């Protein structure tokens, strides 16, 4: 058994009628805010409901809770941030974030999971991949398998949270220790699927 496929989880939205899909404001989008380390002290990132106009028209309110996703990246509240920050994860930057609700109220107690580099961690021979080519940096992976050899070479504080190399639309992988923090805060907006149990489509 591959212990790393059991210890790590992939994070997704917990899809339901209340799911809040967050979209960056143009000024955040223009900063190339994913996979790039942000400069602390600059403006926070700003996000809003991607379906704001439609929801206002249909009188739908999607609650802002203590954790959400943008693309594949968690956005977390102050309380979750305080617990995760104590772990001092090398490749993770928690960047100040504001969520603007549909009434234009600003909720500024959030933090973006900014993973500013990808991790060489996959066993490509054991992953299920559509047309794997070693020189290709973007593969459509239908099932992931973490490499025991590669993972053991990475210090634990560098692999508690990561995104894998050579994966198109790479998801965020979380160690059980991080998932335990989300569970401690009773997060019900996100879904965590063990790597050994996930395959394309299972998140829906």
């Amino acid at each position: 058994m591959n212990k790393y496929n059991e210890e790590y989880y992939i994070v997704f939205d917990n899809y339901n009628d209340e799911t809040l899909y967050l979209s960056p404001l143009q000024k955040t989008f223009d900063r190339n805010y994913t996979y790039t380390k942000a400069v602390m002290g600059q403006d926070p990132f700003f996000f809003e409901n991607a379906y704001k106009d439609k929801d206002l028209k249909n009188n739908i309110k999607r609650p802002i809770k203590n954790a959400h996703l943008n693309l594949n990246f968690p956005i977390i509240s102050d309380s979750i941030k305080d617990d995760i920050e104590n772990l001092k994860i090398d490749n993770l930057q928690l960047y100040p974030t504001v969520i603007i609700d549909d009434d234009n109220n600003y909720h500024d107690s959030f933090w973006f999971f900014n993973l500013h580099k990808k991790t060489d961690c996959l066993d490509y021979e054991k992953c299920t991949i559509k047309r794997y080519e070693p020189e290709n940096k973007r593969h459509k992976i239908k099932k992931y398998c973490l490499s025991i050899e590669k993972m053991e070479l990475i210090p634990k504080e560098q692999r508690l949270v990561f995104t894998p190399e050579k994966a198109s639309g790479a998801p965020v992988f979380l160690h059980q220790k991080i998932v335990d923090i989300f569970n401690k805060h009773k997060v019900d907006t996100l879904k965590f699927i063990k790597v050994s149990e996930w395959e394309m489509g299972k998140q829906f």
Side-chain angles (χ1 to χ4, degrees), residues 45-152:
F45 296 154
F46 291 87
F47 295 88
E48 64 181 356
N49 176 9
Y51 296 97
K52 176 180 178 179
D53 292 342
K54 182 178 179 181
D55 285 351
L56 286 171
K57 182 178 180 181
N58 294 315
N59 197 30
I60 294 172
K61 291 283 187 180
R62 300 179 190 268
I64 295 176
K65 296 192 174 183
N66 58 357
H68 296 282
L69 285 188
N70 167 249
L71 303 174
N72 295 322
F73 303 95
I75 294 173
I76 59 173
S77 65
D78 280 341
S79 57
I80 300 174
K81 178 251 188 184
D82 288 344
D83 283 346
I84 290 178
E85 194 172 44
N86 288 334
L87 299 174
K88 302 187 185 305
I89 303 168
D90 289 353
N91 61 323
L92 173 66
Q93 179 188 40
L94 296 173
Y95 194 79
T97 293
V98 176
I99 297 177
I100 306 171
D101 67 26
D102 292 353
D103 297 316
N104 290 320
N105 297 310
Y106 282 47
H107 303 259
D108 60 0
S109 57
F110 288 90
W111 303 82
F112 184 82
F113 259 52
N114 188 12
L115 291 157
H116 42 83
K117 64 178 181 179
K118 295 184 179 181
T119 300
D120 181 11
C121 60
L122 297 179
D123 184 333
Y124 298 105
E125 291 185 0
K126 294 183 179 178
C127 291
T128 303
I129 303 175
K130 185 176 182 180
R131 292 194 302 274
Y132 175 68
E133 299 172 0
E135 68 280 3
N136 192 344
K137 294 183 179 181
R138 296 175 62 83
H139 291 93
K140 185 174 182 181
I141 300 181
K142 298 181 178 180
K143 186 169 179 60
Y144 289 93
C145 182
L146 294 169
S147 166
I148 295 173
E149 293 77 12
K150 291 178 181 179
M151 293 291 283
E152 289 182 347

